[in-house]
Amino acid sequence: MSSAYVLIVFAVVIVMMIVLISRFHVHPGIGILIAAIVLAIGLGYNWSEIEDDINTGFAGTIQSVAIVIFLGCILGTILEKTGAAVRITKWAVNLVGEKNIIWAIGLSSFILGIPIFADDVVILLIPIVSLLAVQTKKSMMSYGTALYMGALITASLVPPTPGPVSAAALLKVPLGQAILWGTIVAIPSTIAAILYCRTLKTPVLPKSEYVNAAKETDEKSLPSLGMSLLPILLPLVLIGIDTVSNIVAKDSRFTNVMDFIGSPLAALFSGCIFSLVLTGKKWKTKEVLNDWVEAACRSAAMPIIVTGMGGALAWFVKESKVADSIAKMVAGSSFPAILVPILIAALIHVITGSNALGVMTAAALVQPMLGAFGISPLAAFLGCGTGALMFKHANSSGFWVTVSMSNMDVKQGLRGVGVASTVAGFTGAVVTCILSFAKVI
């Protein structure tokens, strides 16, 4: 079977998958499964072995990520429902002062995007951001876009949000490294996006119902700042300690203990348990211990399934030598290999509208090619995360949530959310390329 034939079949299958998901609104899990089956058949796999190979790729991928995604969704749900997200935002506003409100919005959104989906961050904080827009006489085109950008960027780059967790698992990047370097790249991306948001001065008034809702918020019912931040920081600190201890004293008893306590599973579970403090006397009720967990299960199901299906597709990409053919083609040209994950993620994101799908699917497609490309899994991870930020537009739920709740029209939304996300993605991609070329990652 020639390399040209393999590449043609692969290209046709990927286009088919994207069309199914974006044009015919097929669920990504089914779309990727169909792509894996068609690729296997097109490349002449033994029909009797296809099911076993799909199960192998699926199971091998989710075994290290499913529980982590589930726990991350529980943590996010508790932070949403207890008012911790609002408390963090109020703290950020007090921290930077009235003249720098837009930076407070970006900072709080940046923090909350780590455990909470970006769309949900907008829904949670749009009342307080609308009130701030009235108080400072600023446009919701600027403030609403800034609110979405911070969360979108960390939701694409920093675990434990499902997209980057899945990409890290697919690319076999240790979660501690993914968190550290994802944050490093996310910071300049966010700064660039907020600087752009500051230029958006077209007058857009907030919706009155959100302003009134913010005014009715009971300040006394919100948890303290320390209690609000600790469930987010505790898992990150534990994972960080484990990472450092493995570098400094790999064979010590302390490192042996931290290998479990600082593992993604145990660290996130610790954060979930600690977050129960936020619920007050409600912690032992069915609503908290069962209903909120059930809501988290529903949130976790999609990324777990899509990640597993991505692993199944990656199995056939690797075993059929598609990866080798593409890698040879790139190696034989002057095209920088680090741009491949960035462009694949950007393409999938722009066509499907889902940054999580862009991150996860790009990671699945690129992983088998890494050895021949000569780029590290970490560089590919950052490339997927930054590429999946490029150009949010009208096929994205996050775009519509932000635009509609910020009282923007579509044209204003494209100037705001569309351009700001591209600025963020381009900035992150440039930083990633520099780090890769300098052999830092």
Side-chain angles (χ1 to χ4, degrees):
M1 191 179 299
S2 69
S3 295
Y5 174 79
V6 169
L7 289 174
I8 290 171
V9 171
F10 176 71
V12 169
V13 167
I14 297 305
V15 170
M16 177 201 71
M17 177 189 73
I18 292 174
V19 169
L20 285 174
I21 295 171
S22 61
R23 179 69 178 84
F24 295 101
H25 308 294
V26 174
H27 189 278
I30 297 297
I32 298 173
L33 175 60
I34 292 172
I37 293 172
V38 173
L39 181 63
I41 294 172
L43 296 177
Y45 268 73
N46 187 329
W47 286 58
S48 65
E49 297 177 358
I50 292 176
E51 180 185 0
D52 287 343
D53 288 342
I54 288 174
N55 288 333
T56 298
F58 184 94
T61 301
I62 67 167
Q63 67 179 355
S64 61
V65 73
I67 297 176
V68 173
I69 291 176
F70 169 57
L71 293 173
C73 288
I74 291 176
L75 182 58
T77 299
I78 295 174
L79 292 172
E80 290 177 34
K81 293 184 179 296
T82 56
V86 176
R87 170 59 70 197
I88 291 170
T89 303
K90 287 179 175 290
W91 160 74
V93 170
N94 293 331
L95 178 69
V96 303
E98 186 173 309
K99 291 183 178 180
N100 299 302
I101 290 294
I102 195 168
W103 292 103
I105 294 171
L107 173 61
S108 58
S109 178
F110 182 97
I111 294 170
L112 293 169
I114 296 173
I116 304 175
F117 291 106
D119 297 23
D120 294 337
V121 173
V122 174
I123 294 169
L124 279 168
L125 299 184
I126 200 69
I128 188 172
V129 169
S130 298
L131 180 60
L132 290 170
V134 171
Q135 292 173 343
T136 58
K137 298 179 181 179
K138 299 294 184 180
S139 172
M140 280 302 292
M141 188 176 174
S142 175
Y143 278 17
T145 301
L147 171 61
Y148 185 46
M149 282 304 103
L152 177 67
I153 291 164
T154 47
S156 290
L157 282 163
V158 185
T161 311
V165 165
S166 301
L170 287 161
L171 294 165
K172 297 179 173 56
V173 177
L175 211 57
Q177 285 188 24
I179 292 170
L180 174 62
W181 286 101
T183 303
I184 289 172
V185 173
I187 289 172
S189 299
T190 304
I191 292 172
I194 300 302
L195 286 173
Y196 173 74
C197 289
R198 285 166 59 93
T199 70
L200 300 172
K201 298 181 180 180
T202 302
V204 177
L205 294 173
K207 292 186 175 182
S208 58
E209 60 263 37
Y210 299 135
V211 176
N212 293 333
K215 288 179 179 178
E216 294 169 2
T217 300
D218 183 5
E219 182 79 17
K220 294 180 181 178
S221 67
L222 298 176
S224 69
L225 174 63
M227 291 300 181
S228 298
L229 284 172
L230 273 176
I232 302 173
L233 297 178
L234 179 61
L236 303 183
V237 169
L238 291 176
I239 292 171
I241 292 173
D242 178 47
T243 301
V244 172
S245 66
N246 270 282
I247 296 172
V248 176
K250 184 174 177 57
D251 298 321
S252 69
R253 184 176 181 83
F254 176 77
T255 300
N256 183 50
V257 173
M258 284 306 304
D259 280 343
F260 172 69
I261 296 176
S263 67
L265 186 154
L268 275 171
F269 193 41
S270 299
C272 291
I273 293 174
F274 187 86
S275 68
L276 292 176
V277 176
L278 297 171
T279 66
K281 295 180 180 179
K282 289 174 61 177
W283 74 268
K284 55 186 176 182
T285 62
K286 175 181 177 293
E287 179 185 7
V288 172
L289 298 179
N290 183 80
D291 298 351
W292 291 5
V293 174
E294 190 170 312
C297 285
R298 290 192 290 271
S299 298
M302 193 279 268
I304 290 173
I305 294 298
V306 171
T307 300
M309 292 305 179
L313 178 61
W315 174 272
F316 293 113
V317 171
K318 182 178 181 179
E319 295 300 314
S320 63
K321 307 303 180 184
V322 170
D324 292 342
S325 299
I326 294 175
K328 287 177 183 177
M329 183 175 64
V330 172
S333 68
S334 57
F335 191 79
I338 186 60
L339 295 181
V340 174
I342 295 172
L343 293 177
I344 291 175
L347 177 66
I348 294 172
H349 170 249
V350 170
I351 294 175
T352 66
S354 170
N355 65 300
L357 186 62
V359 175
M360 293 186 284
T361 308
L365 293 173
V366 168
Q367 190 276 328
M369 310 174 193
L370 293 182
F373 277 177
I375 59 175
S376 69
L378 178 57
F381 167 80
L382 297 173
C384 292
T386 55
L389 289 169
M390 303 284 191
F391 194 52
K392 276 284 178 188
H393 62 98
N395 64 350
S396 163
S397 63
F399 175 88
W400 285 113
V401 166
T402 305
V403 169
S404 61
M405 298 186 82
S406 299
N407 210 20
M408 289 186 268
D409 59 32
V410 175
K411 185 178 179 181
Q412 291 167 340
L414 290 173
R415 277 186 55 213
V417 174
V419 177
S421 59
T422 305
V423 168
F426 180 78
T427 301
V430 169
V431 173
T432 298
C433 289
I434 292 171
L435 292 172
S436 179
F437 289 139
K439 305 297 182 184
V440 177
I441 56 174

